[in-house]
């Protein structure tokens, strides 16, 4: 039998643990796996493009576990009341090839993306960072806010979205978060005085959410929204001025902010900062940029955490996804029994 | 909600329909999709190799539906009482990217492989074929026998396996099939007088199950067992003597019998025979060889058939694999509700 964590069970699990604790524990798994980056079998995601969007498969594996995530991106879905992004994933045993756990990953992806952002900021932002700007208050924004509060000590948010409905939703959801929230009247206004700037807009086009002249020395930019070909948020001049950190260069050069830059544009791999092989922030004046597109190992970490977390709980069911004939060579016999 | 067809429901569905009818209906979907081959988005499978085996993802799509199959291949699994191959798959809506149906595919793969073999034989074997040899009586053998009876009019089997336990299992399962079965004492003995020869051994090595001198004129060879790098069943001389038909050349040149041959070894694509663009069998004397490795479109056909077949039945359940927040941008709100 395969363990199954559906949406309802995951919600109940997160509520019982608490979102901040869940994000904090998840972050330790994400960080652990980044630190042993060379152990993973890595490949850019396999995409199937259509007129309205894309469906992607994101596999990865270490010696013991294999995972893949199915994820779609359909920008027009919201018009139909559907989500732009939905996802689910599977964790398997490498030795037998058998699937172990199937989980919803729409929520889990939002959580691992926020946890990864916070893990990156912990080694790239100034340690005394307290004020974060968030530009773009869509589905991912509250997860980012919560992760940065729990993991980076952010106490004050300066937030902006072009749609007031999104801003209202964000403020409502964050009402009891304990964060001090200032609603800004422009992106420019939002970033003023921020130690960390998170851009997480949803436009599927080359937008300039942050231009070079908006950014002062010492800032860490957490660029989450530019995550597929044709979709960027930062001005090229800003990328040239700061130091850019990425997950998996082969994928980020296609999907990230640096798709605007030449193929040899210098980047630093985040895992090397985590292992201490490469210095992250070098001075109080550095502008550091995490060009985040999301990578398969982060889903692996999330599934690995979830698998450990549900152990001995009621937050999963079991499903008969794998046939189990008594004699493995007698598959046909399953059809004959009466 | 996503439709879920687990092992138990699939078994019940097949029993209620009857295996022969299931295979026959499935074959019409397989054939239909082969005939519109150029409409599919095709890519070789994405493999993650490890010491003990391989885990593969096999995606494909047309304008309306997307499918992928997860399948492993672990030859040593049987020693642990596990199956060499297990599989599951998903059918999705291309327009929204949302998954529609999740199904077990261990049984379904065995069925679609047999249906595809029979569909190929219908346009490649002599129409008056009545006698089939089967070499290799593992998990796939009974499915092949049943499909060829139902779809090609085979009435007589000549079977052989190196292990007597496999032969006994096969004969027990086929007892009430209505097929006349002769147990041969060697591969050579099995193929004598056969119109069609199915090779479906499980060895993960370059074996010579059929050599050139064993094969007379007019025979159709259904080569199912050579299906991954390093695993073949037919002698190169035999491939040179017959005409070789394949599913997706890019994949078959890596995984099929023709991995032994030069990269420009001439092959005919099965779909072109099905559409009538290319002649299959040209004479009573032709040796035709279907070098089958299994391709993603066949899984697509199987899932498409299953989706239609469960409509209005009790042979599926629904699972909450996709989060459905009322406001798609308010994913975080799911965690706040009490």
């Amino acid at each position: 039998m395969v363990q199954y964590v559906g949406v309802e069970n995951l919600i109940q699990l997160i509520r019982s643990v608490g979102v901040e604790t869940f994000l904090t524990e998840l972050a330790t798994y994400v960080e652990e796996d980044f630190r042993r980056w060379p152990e993973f079998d890595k490949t850019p995601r396999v995409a199937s493009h259509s007129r309205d969007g894309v469906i992607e498969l994101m596999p990865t594996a270490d010696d013991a576990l294999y995972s893949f995530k199915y994820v779609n991106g359909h920008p027009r879905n919201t018009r139909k009341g559907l989500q732009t992004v939905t996802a689910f994933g599977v964790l398997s045993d490498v030795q037998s090839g058998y699937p172990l756990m199937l989980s919803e990953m729409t929520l889990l992806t939002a959580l691992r993306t926020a946890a990864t952002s916070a893990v990156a900021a912990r080694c790239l932002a100034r340690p005394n960072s307290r004020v974060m700007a968030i530009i773009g208050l869509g589905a991912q924004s509250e997860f980012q806010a919560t992760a940065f509060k729990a993991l980076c000590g952010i106490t004050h948010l300066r937030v902006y979205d072009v749609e007031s409905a999104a801003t209202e939703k964000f403020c409502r959801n964050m009402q009891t978060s304990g964060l001090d929230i200032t609603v800004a009247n422009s992106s420019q206004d939002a970033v003023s005085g921020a130690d960390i700037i998170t851009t997480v807009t949803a436009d599927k086009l080359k937008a300039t959410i942050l231009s070079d002249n908006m950014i002062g020395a010492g800032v860490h930019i957490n660029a989450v929204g530019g995550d597929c070909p044709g979709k960027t948020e930062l001005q090229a001049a800003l990328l040239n001025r700061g130091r850019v950190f990425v997950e998996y260069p082969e994928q980020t050069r296609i999907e990230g902010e640096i798709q605007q830059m030449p193929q040899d544009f210098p980047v630093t791999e985040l895992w090397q900062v985590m292992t201490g092989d490469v210095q992250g922030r070098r001075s109080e004046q550095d502008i550091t940029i995490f060009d985040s597109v999301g990578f398969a190992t982060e889903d692996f970490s999330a599934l690995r955490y979830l698998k450990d977390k549900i152990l001995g709980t009621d937050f999963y069911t079991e499903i008969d996804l794998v046939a189990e004939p008594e004699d493995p060579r007698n598959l046909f016999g399953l059809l004959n029994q009466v």
Side-chain angles (χ1 to χ4, degrees), chain A:
Chain A
M1 298 296 272
V2 172
Q3 293 176 319
Y4 171 61
V5 184
V7 174
E8 195 48 40
N9 266 327
L10 185 61
I11 290 173
Q12 295 305 335
L13 170 62
I14 296 167
R15 284 187 196 164
S16 91
V17 175
V19 192
E20 288 192 36
T21 305
F22 193 96
L23 281 163
T24 305
E25 292 178 353
L26 171 54
T28 66
Y29 280 69
V30 170
E31 201 164 353
E32 224 172 83
D33 290 336
F34 264 107
R35 284 199 178 131
R36 59 193 190 90
W37 188 257
E39 293 175 26
F40 284 94
D41 187 5
K42 292 176 287 288
T43 172
R45 42 192 160 206
V46 183
S48 173
H49 294 275
S50 59
R51 202 195 50 207
D52 295 321
V54 63
I55 297 178
E56 297 174 326
L57 299 173
M58 302 169 66
T60 192
D62 67 10
D63 280 351
L65 295 169
Y66 166 97
S67 78
F68 80 86
K69 180 170 80 172
Y70 167 109
V71 59
N72 76 300
H74 285 67
R76 295 181 206 173
N77 268 3
T78 40
R79 296 184 207 165
K80 296 175 278 183
L82 299 175
Q83 295 165 98
T84 305
V85 173
T86 63
F88 61 89
V90 169
L91 195 69
S92 299
D93 176 41
V94 164
Q95 216 193 329
S96 68
Y98 272 47
L100 302 171
M101 184 185 74
L102 164 71
S103 175
E104 91 79 42
M105 287 193 81
T106 310
L107 271 165
L108 207 53
T109 297
L111 290 156
R112 70 83 160 136
T113 301
T116 304
S117 285
V119 159
R122 273 205 294 214
C123 53
L124 296 176
R126 279 181 284 107
N128 56 348
S129 297
R130 293 293 169 267
V131 182
M132 175 160 87
I134 306 183
I135 300 168
L137 302 174
Q140 172 65 206
S141 57
E142 298 94 342
F143 295 93
Q144 290 283 337
T146 309
F148 277 80
K149 171 178 183 263
L151 287 146
C152 305
I154 290 297
T155 57
H156 189 162
L157 297 180
R158 301 182 58 82
V159 302
Y160 177 70
D161 195 287
V162 286
E163 286 186 41
S164 61
T167 308
E168 281 158 29
K169 175 216 64 161
F170 179 87
C171 291
R172 201 167 54 241
N173 281 331
M174 292 287 100
Q175 217 162 13
T176 57
S177 66
L179 283 159
D180 183 6
I181 299 172
T182 304
V183 174
N185 51 39
S186 68
S187 297
Q188 174 87 61
D189 181 21
V191 303
S192 146
D195 303 305
I196 297 174
I197 302 168
T198 290
T199 58
V200 61
T201 61
D203 281 326
K204 196 178 175 171
L205 44 82
K206 303 213 177 195
T208 302
I209 307 300
L210 293 186
S211 56
D212 188 33
N213 61 3
M214 288 163 71
I215 306 302
V219 163
H220 172 65
I221 299 171
N222 174 40
V224 180
D227 62 353
C228 65
K231 188 177 164 208
T232 59
E233 297 178 318
L234 309 187
Q235 201 182 33
L238 181 54
L239 296 170
N240 277 317
R241 187 164 144 232
R243 279 177 67 216
V244 176
F245 299 82
V246 303
E247 290 142 317
Y248 185 59
E250 289 84 337
Q251 187 177 293
T252 312
R253 290 193 191 278
I254 297 168
E255 303 175 358
E257 296 300 332
I258 58 168
Q259 66 185 272
Q260 312 170 59
M261 312 308 276
Q263 274 303 305
D264 59 352
F265 180 77
V267 297
T268 303
E269 296 190 43
L270 186 61
W271 71 272
Q272 294 186 300
V273 179
M274 301 227 186
T275 56
D277 290 344
V278 175
Q279 202 180 344
R281 171 168 293 273
R282 290 176 188 151
S283 78
E284 290 276 306
Q285 275 67 49
D286 265 5
I287 294 174
T288 51
I289 301 169
F290 176 39
D291 185 0
S292 169
V293 297
F295 189 60
T297 55
E298 295 152 30
D299 302 312
F300 178 98
S301 307
L303 289 168
R304 189 167 71 81
Y305 167 57
L306 185 61
K307 178 110 180 62
D308 287 350
K309 198 70 189 168
I310 60 174
L311 190 72
T313 74
D314 293 330
F315 297 117
Y316 69 94
T317 54
E318 293 196 318
I319 59 173
D320 60 342
L321 195 57
V322 175
E324 290 173 353
E326 253 177 71
D327 170 3
R329 286 169 309 184
N330 193 6
L331 191 59
F332 195 83
L334 291 175
L335 304 179
N336 273 345
Q337 287 153 17
V338 186

